[in-house]
Amino acid sequence: MQRIIFDYAVFLLLVALSFAVFIYSKITGPKEQTKANYMFASKGSVSMGAMLLSITRGFLGVKVFLGYPSEFYYRGSGMWETLYGMCLAFPLVLYFFLPVYFNLGITSVYQYLDMRFKSRLVRRLASATYFLRSIQNLGVTVFTPCVALKTVMGLPYWFSIILITSIAIVFTVLGGLRSAILADAVQSLVMIGCSIMIIIHGFFIAKGPLNVFEVTKERDRLDFFNFNMDPTLRVSTVSATLGQLFMTLSMFGCQQNLVQRYFSMDSQKQVEKALWLTIPLTIFLFSLSWIVGMVIFTVYADCDPRALGYISEIDEIIPFYIEDRFYFLPGFMGLVLATLFNSGLSIVSNLNSISTVAWEDFVSQIPIFKGTSEKNQLWCIKIISVITGFIVMGVAFIVAQSSGVIDASQLMTSATSGPLLGVFVLAMFFPSTNWKGAAAGIISSHLVTLFIILGSLSIAKEPNYLQVSTEGCTNTTFSPYIEPIFDIQYNQYKMSFLNKTHDEISSVLSTPEVESSSTDDILTMLYSITYMYYSLLGTFVTVFVGVIVSYMTGKNKTDTKNYIQIN
């Protein structure tokens, strides 16, 4: 009982700290909130360290703490190789995208498309794509901590989703981008601290890092450099690298919430420095989560909690492990839950960006809103934030029906990255393309991607989890706080407690990978393409259609001249 009280006390204390950060930011920030300081952090008001943590956190998201460890545990190291694509993308953003934006001094990144193509339609299509992707990913961000809150505290998904989004909406209305950045930085530091504690303690239980490596290697969790070119494989080295490269380019080069952070820094040189430093920070945070997964798998290598019925979803393994192994440290579970809860509040900075884009590219163009004063514009942006927050809440309920936060996040990001990146590639690297080609390209890309996604729903797919074991389970496997489900004398399952047949238990231990579809059925092959390639495919379709349509509608000297002036 005392342990539970400590956990709840720490949980409430850390949540209160998030409120304190926002209040501190409000007190120390500009006395009068304007549209400018709501959309951007004032120059020099945020340290480089805080900005780096915020950028990296905004990129990796809350899944870095909860999703990737469970991904490694049940599916292996395949997704770790997305790191290659991430690191390759940063220099490309730095040398091709960043100079264009800084030279133009734009507020919304999609202003560039308007200036390049002289077309409101192209700008709005790109903005709508960003809006769609953002609310989908924010739905994943909100839902992720709800998994832990349900596992440990028993809070139903609906309650946690409503609570997190409601608090985030309040924060968004009260604070600005500076407040969100500072909160991101504090929450990131707490998350890093918790991860390091789990790893150090796990190394002690698992008899050292060398044993962790050996066990994970023997149990087929370390599967690097898989160059199988089958496009229907969920993830391989090729699909992880290419897919993540295009996703990261789209996020860092074409996404408003990250570009807003760039313009909150003092100069272009400072942004360049920040992006170079983001590479090692991303590698560190990303790898930290996978090491957590390695440690937990090693500890449970011979007694999987999910196979025994302790947890039902793969993403519940982290909270279960902490509840089981950190029982000796009162309050640590509360710290982890608060970290996850506060991670859900990281949607604040994204709500800020989405509402800014919605106002600049859509609402402000409505005749009744033209000529609105700056003060009223700020209120309109805040109202849009509230509406968007409720939309995100609805998406989070849909995400709750998915098969893991990693799948949900990667699918949503990849599906919308291609059209957005493709139209920027057309604008920057194809001088003769016009607005008709750009509009046709982005629309065609969305239709093709949507067609594949809807078609993939018609194909029965089983989760391709790797084999787990229960051979080493005893009544002393888990801590005294975990109710035993074994008969000590006979070391057998108590079927009355598990309410499962032997066949059902065996099916949990190993789910075979789905066989690739027959190459004779072209549509089935198309539907079976892994979502890791959606961003690559979407970019190609946008560029291909854009160039063809621009050629068919005739080369326009004005478009080429405008390209030279803008770029």
Side-chain angles (χ1 to χ4, degrees), residues 403-480:
S403 61
V405 298
I406 296 300
D407 274 351
S409 178
Q410 290 291 88
L411 170 62
M412 293 175 179
T413 302
S414 185
T416 52
S417 290
L420 192 58
L421 176 60
V423 74
F424 276 85
V425 170
L426 280 174
M428 292 182 180
F429 303 106
F430 293 86
S432 61
T433 52
N434 57 35
W435 72 268
K436 295 175 184 177
I442 197 171
I443 292 172
S444 300
S445 182
H446 275 300
L447 291 176
V448 169
T449 306
L450 182 63
F451 175 76
I452 294 175
I453 292 175
L454 293 178
S456 68
L457 298 177
S458 65
I459 300 176
K461 296 178 181 179
E462 292 291 335
N464 53 337
Y465 300 141
L466 297 176
Q467 187 173 355
V468 294
S469 172
T470 57
E471 292 180 359
C473 294
T474 68
N475 265 349
T476 59
T477 299
F478 304 113
S479 74

Side-chain angles (χ1 to χ4, degrees), residues 186-230:
V186 172
Q187 292 159 14
S188 296
L189 291 174
V190 175
M191 182 187 71
I192 292 171
C194 290
S195 298
I196 291 174
M197 286 186 66
I198 293 172
I199 291 171
I200 293 174
H201 180 257
F203 280 160
F204 177 76
I205 299 175
K207 300 177 182 178
L210 184 60
N211 189 54
V212 169
F213 176 79
E214 291 296 333
V215 171
T216 51
K217 183 180 179 181
E218 289 173 3
R219 305 296 177 94
D220 298 323
R221 259 55 187 181
L222 299 180
D223 182 23
F224 294 104
F225 307 116
N226 177 7
F227 291 101
N228 191 325
M229 300 300 291
D230 183 355

